[in-house]
Amino acid sequence: MARIIKTKKLTNTRLATNYGGWMYCDNCNENIGYLCYSTYDRIELKYQCNCGTKGSALIDFEDSKIGEECTNELITIKNRLCCPNDNEPLITILDKKVNNYEMKITCKYCEKIYQKAK
């Protein structure tokens, strides 16, 4: 079932679908990652693409929970950053395509807010 978006602010970024899928830099059209649309509840992402463009994404939903800050780290399975509680993939950031990034992502199922930066 499709979710109703409450907030969607994309800067120099576009998504393959309404609130997930492949993520692209608007300036150079490079694929910078993949947002797993069915497992996250909220995403705050800021990055600098290799082309020098600074981009960001802020997305949450009408039914998003507030979430609980935690110090646990996301685990990596293949190239996906996953929730350490259930191994569900949340996001993939293609490190070779971005100079740096910082993000906060909330898992839809455990309602924990995970942070990661490069």
Side-chain angles (χ1 to χ4, degrees), residues 63-103:
D63 63 348
S64 288
K65 306 290 189 280
I66 292 174
E68 180 183 331
E69 296 275 343
C70 74
T71 56
N72 296 344
E73 293 193 20
L74 294 166
I75 59 172
T76 303
I77 299 175
K78 297 186 180 178
N79 65 342
R80 300 173 179 156
L81 296 172
C82 302
C83 175
N85 292 316
D86 58 14
N87 295 342
E88 286 292 328
L90 296 169
I91 191 168
T92 299
I93 301 290
L94 300 174
D95 287 340
K96 293 184 276 183
K97 304 288 180 96
V98 295
N99 288 327
N100 57 64
Y101 69 89
E102 57 185 58
M103 73 165 172

Side-chain angles (χ1 to χ4, degrees), residues 4 18 20-22 25 38-39 44 46 48 53 61 65-66 73-74 80-82 85 90 93 96 100 112 115 117:
I4 299 169
N18 193 24
W22 293 108
C25 170
S38 64
T39 56
E44 289 180 64
K46 294 178 183 176
Q48 183 174 17
T53 299
F61 304 92
K65 306 290 189 280
I66 292 174
E73 293 193 20
L74 294 166
R80 300 173 179 156
L81 296 172
C82 302
N85 292 316
L90 296 169
I93 301 290
K96 293 184 276 183
N100 57 64
K112 301 282 189 218
Q115 297 184 50

Side-chain angles (χ1 to χ4, degrees), residues 14-24 33-37 40:
R14 65 183 164 79
L15 298 172
T17 64
N18 193 24
Y19 52 83
W22 293 108
M23 300 182 298
Y24 299 91
Y34 185 86
L35 182 58
C36 301
Y37 59 89
Y40 82 96

Side-chain angles (χ1 to χ4, degrees), residues 5-13 43 45 56-60:
I5 295 174
K6 178 174 142 186
T7 308
K8 181 178 179 182
K9 295 180 183 176
L10 302 176
T11 305
N12 296 323
T13 304
I43 178 80
L45 172 67
S56 65
L58 170 61
I59 304 170
D60 67 1

